[in-house]
Amino acid sequence: EGYAAERSRLLQTIDQEGIHNVVFIAADLHGTLVNNLTYQTAPFTPQIPTGAFEVITGAVAFDAPLGPTLVELGTQLGLISAAQRAYYDTLPRAGQDLFVQQLVDGFLVQLGYDPLGLAGSPVQATLVRGGYTAAHTFGWTEFDVDARTQVLTVTTWGIAPYREADLANPGNVIDRQPEIVAQFVVAPR
C-alpha cells in the first residue's frame, strides 16, 4: 500500500469521470488473480466500487506456482494448520485454487477490500470455466475483445508445473498440453 493515495485518486477519477470498460493488467505474481477495484476517500472509510477490475496473471514458468508457494509460507508461519495443509494436499487443482482464494480473501477482507472475483461488483462478468483464481499451473492469460459486440473474453491457459529435475527428461515437459484453467466474459458498459 505504498501508493494508496495515488491509487485512490486514479480510481476516483475513473469513477467520477464515467470512464467505462477499464481493465488493469499486471504480471509476475506466478498465478492469476482477478478482482474488482474499489477506492476510499480516506483511510478506514467504506470502499467505493468503480466498475474497473484487475487481472494479475502468472508467469509461463516459475518454481513453484503461487498456490503451493503461499500454502507453504502459510504453513511455515502457522497460518495454516497441519490438518488444513493435509486437506489442501488431497484436493484436485480446482479445489486447491479455491483454498488459496479463501486464504487470500481472509487478508483482503481484513484490510477492507472485497474478496477476489467479480461477483457482486458493477462489472458484468460471467464465469465460463474455473474461477477467478488460477494459482497451481504455469500459464498465461489471453484477452480477446469481440470487434462487433465489444465483449471481452479473458482466458487463462496452464500446464502442470514442473521442477528443474523434470528437465532431465525434456519430453516430460515438452509433451504437456496447455488447457484452459479459467475463463470469463465481460459485457461492455
Side-chain angles (χ1 to χ4, degrees), residues 153-179:
T153 300
V154 180
T155 306
T156 299
W157 293 83
I159 64 168
Y162 53 86
R163 298 188 178 272
E164 188 174 343
D166 295 322
L167 297 175
N169 183 350
N172 287 339
V173 175
I174 294 169
D175 291 342
R176 294 175 191 208
Q177 295 296 310
E179 64 177 300

Side-chain angles (χ1 to χ4, degrees), residues 33-50:
L33 303 175
V34 178
N35 207 8
N36 64 304
L37 294 172
T38 61
Y39 67 95
Q40 296 172 297
T41 55
F44 307 108
T45 60
Q47 295 287 334
I48 301 168
T50 64

Side-chain angles (χ1 to χ4, degrees), residues 112-170:
Y113 295 105
D114 288 345
L116 291 171
L118 299 175
S121 78
V123 179
Q124 297 176 1
T126 304
L127 271 172
V128 176
R129 183 179 293 173
Y132 292 111
T133 300
H136 291 84
T137 61
F138 293 152
W140 64 94
T141 301
E142 296 175 348
F143 300 83
D144 179 60
V145 178
D146 184 278
R148 185 179 57 77
T149 65
Q150 299 299 293
V151 169
L152 170 64
T153 300
V154 180
T155 306
T156 299
W157 293 83
I159 64 168
Y162 53 86
R163 298 188 178 272
E164 188 174 343
D166 295 322
L167 297 175
N169 183 350

Side-chain angles (χ1 to χ4, degrees), residues 62-148:
F62 176 79
D63 190 358
L66 177 66
T69 301
L70 287 179
V71 170
E72 181 61 31
L73 182 61
T75 302
Q76 290 174 6
L77 294 174
L79 302 172
I80 297 173
S81 70
Q84 290 171 313
R85 176 59 187 264
Y87 172 70
Y88 164 85
D89 289 338
T90 67
L91 294 171
R93 185 185 66 227
Q96 289 179 331
D97 281 341
L98 184 58
F99 185 97
V100 168
Q101 179 173 327
Q102 291 170 342
L103 181 67
V104 172
D105 284 348
F107 293 106
L108 289 176
V109 171
Q110 283 183 355
L111 295 171
Y113 295 105
D114 288 345
L116 291 171
L118 299 175
S121 78
V123 179
Q124 297 176 1
T126 304
L127 271 172
V128 176
R129 183 179 293 173
Y132 292 111
T133 300
H136 291 84
T137 61
F138 293 152
W140 64 94
T141 301
E142 296 175 348
F143 300 83
D144 179 60
V145 178
D146 184 278
R148 185 179 57 77

